[in-house]
Amino acid sequence: MNAALLAAALLVGCLLAVQASVNLQLNKAVGTPYGASTVQLGVATGLLVVLAAVTGALGALGELPGVQWWHLLGGLVSPLYITSGILLLPRLGALAAVGLFVTGQMFSSLILDLGGLFGLETRGLSPGIALGAAAVLAGIAVIIKGQNASAPPGAPPAALGRAGWIALGIVAGGVLPVQGAVNAELRHGLGAPVTVAAFSFAVATLTITVVLLVLRVTGRTPGPRMAPLRSMPWWGWLGGVCAAGYVTGTFLLIPEIGAAVTVGLTVTGQQLTSALIDHRGMFRLPTRHLTVPRLSGLALLLTGSLAVQLG
């Protein structure tokens, strides 16, 4: 198996962790997580549309009338995942938030595989997969338990309650494999990965825009601020680039190295990068040092993730 492709899968996972972290700067500038998600998804959509146009793949949109209606809904997942990241990272830290996302991804993938849902091939539950799932649960439990000790002064309060934030993280991660399975079906109909990604992000942008408008009209979120974007650090714009890179990268890598290897390496990249971001306080996030319990939890998460995907 080509080492360059394996390294690319690991890098794609790193992009997802960076995306969640830099989006906090976008949220700080815009003043509302729903507005920040709208801007980030709009940037990603623009990049992917340009890429599809340059590669001559936009013509694949002509095949849309021939696909089933639910194949068009993969983009509904992105607003939930991105907004959840903006809400969770300052409260739980990058490692705990990404750990919850990965836990949701792992168990959602298991359900999809065991049930053969959304056109996926049915996969049996081997002892290795069962042990891996148990390791993932143990890992996130250890990380969450040690999270309070590493919380820096001034971290946002968990007004929703710890159980509420944990549930949000698991659900937000759990819908990602569903999105991948739905978009894979759309790819069968359109035949162009970049076009599928562009369409998925266009649906996501439209969805979060409607949500933002409804919340704004009902007074549940402030109006987005555009002026502060001019003074935002340049890397605050990287969320859209990372999102586009992740979606496009996974579409291109899965046919080459397989879905199991791709997911296993991407979640590994997510976890390692989030641990580094926490430990170093990168992207202006509060520093949360890697204590022994958090390192132990990270090791369990890594081991369990790889066991589930490769078992």
Side-chain angles (χ1 to χ4, degrees):
M1 195 175 289
N2 194 319
L5 293 177
L6 299 179
L10 195 66
L11 176 61
V12 164
C14 297
L15 291 178
L16 205 57
V18 172
Q19 173 204 17
S21 301
V22 300
N23 278 348
L24 294 179
Q25 284 300 312
L26 192 60
N27 179 56
K28 183 178 179 181
V30 177
T32 164
Y34 310 101
S37 296
T38 303
V39 172
Q40 196 250 265
L41 287 166
V43 169
T45 302
L47 289 172
L48 288 166
V49 168
V50 169
L51 181 59
V54 169
T55 58
L58 279 180
L61 291 174
E63 303 296 326
L64 283 176
V67 305
Q68 295 188 46
W69 65 270
W70 61 270
H71 295 176
L72 307 177
L73 303 182
L76 297 179
V77 167
S78 295
L80 172 61
Y81 176 78
I82 292 170
T83 306
S84 297
I86 292 173
L87 293 171
L88 286 172
L89 259 73
R91 291 170 170 84
L92 302 181
L95 179 58
V98 170
L100 290 170
F101 294 150
V102 167
T103 301
Q105 285 175 261
M106 292 297 99
F107 283 92
S108 177
S109 297
L110 276 177
I111 293 171
L112 292 175
D113 282 346
L114 293 173
L117 305 177
F118 299 109
L120 295 177
E121 182 180 351
T122 303
R123 180 184 182 190
L125 182 64
S126 68
I129 293 176
L131 288 173
V136 168
L137 276 179
I140 191 59
V142 171
I143 289 174
I144 293 298
K145 186 176 180 180
Q147 184 259 341
N148 282 347
S150 64
L160 184 63
R162 175 184 283 195
W165 294 120
I166 291 173
L168 176 62
I170 292 175
V171 170
V175 295
L176 285 179
V178 176
Q179 179 188 46
V182 172
N183 282 345
E185 290 297 309
L186 181 58
R187 182 184 178 184
H188 291 320
L190 302 188
V194 175
T195 305
V196 171
F199 180 82
S200 180
F201 273 99
V203 171
T205 304
L206 177 61
T207 300
I208 193 60
T209 301
V210 171
V211 171
L212 174 63
L213 289 174
V214 170
L215 292 176
R216 181 70 187 114
V217 169
T218 57
R220 298 183 181 182
T221 190
R225 304 187 305 254
M226 296 293 110
L229 289 174
R230 291 193 294 268
S231 58
M232 184 176 66
W234 65 269
W235 44 262
W237 293 102
L238 291 180
V241 178
C242 291
Y246 172 79
V247 171
T248 306
T250 51
F251 268 119
L252 296 176
L253 285 166
I254 286 175
E256 300 296 329
I257 62 177
V261 176
T262 300
V263 173
L265 287 172
T266 54
V267 298
T268 299
Q270 281 178 261
Q271 293 169 81
L272 292 175
T273 304
S274 63
L276 176 64
I277 290 170
D278 255 2
H279 187 65
R280 300 295 299 272
M282 299 170 67
F283 304 117
R284 298 182 181 176
L285 281 171
T287 300
R288 297 174 185 260
H289 294 295
L290 287 176
T291 59
V292 172
R294 285 163 65 82
L295 279 172
S296 301
L298 175 61
L300 284 168
L301 268 177
L302 289 171
T303 302
S305 300
L306 290 173
V308 168
Q309 294 303 325
L310 306 180

